[in-house]
Structure formats: structure tokens, C-alpha cells
Amino acid sequence: MPRYLKLTQEEFDKIINDSRCTLAHKMVIAGRIERGEWEIIETERKPEESKNE
């Protein structure tokens, strides 16, 4: 999992609802969101943004 990431709500839901996402993964993700390392954004990302990450 990347250390810093910006996700749309749809992308976040896809990760969390994946059957391979264990409770440990969800706890790591929750911690990263809480610390501000991962950010959930409201709008769709521009194609240029996804290339840079």
C-alpha cells in the first residue's frame, strides 16, 4: 500500500469492500486516514494526478 494517497470515495469503498482486505489492512488504512497520510477527496481525479502518484 502506498504511504501517501488521495482516493475518491468510490475508490476507497472498492478497497474496503474487497474480500482480500483483512481487518488488519482496514486498521492500517484507518490509521493512515486519521494521520492524514491518505485523503478521501470529493471529486474525480484528473488523469495527470494519477500519473504523478
Side-chain angles (χ1 to χ4, degrees):
M1 290 188 286
R3 189 66 162 167
Y4 295 95
L5 189 62
K6 289 185 180 182
L7 298 166
T8 63
Q9 185 65 47
E10 184 178 299
E11 292 169 329
F12 174 75
D13 290 340
K14 184 178 177 183
I15 292 169
I16 292 297
N17 294 326
D18 189 328
S19 62
R20 297 173 292 174
C21 186
T22 64
L23 179 58
H25 287 124
K26 291 176 184 179
M27 291 174 69
V28 168
I29 291 168
R32 288 183 179 180
I33 290 173
E34 191 173 296
R35 289 188 301 271
E37 296 172 4
W38 281 25
E39 183 180 347
I40 299 175
I41 57 177
E42 297 297 321
T43 59
E44 288 293 319
R45 288 184 288 154
K46 297 175 186 170
E48 303 88 50
E49 289 182 24
S50 60
K51 290 179 186 175
N52 294 334
E53 294 182 20

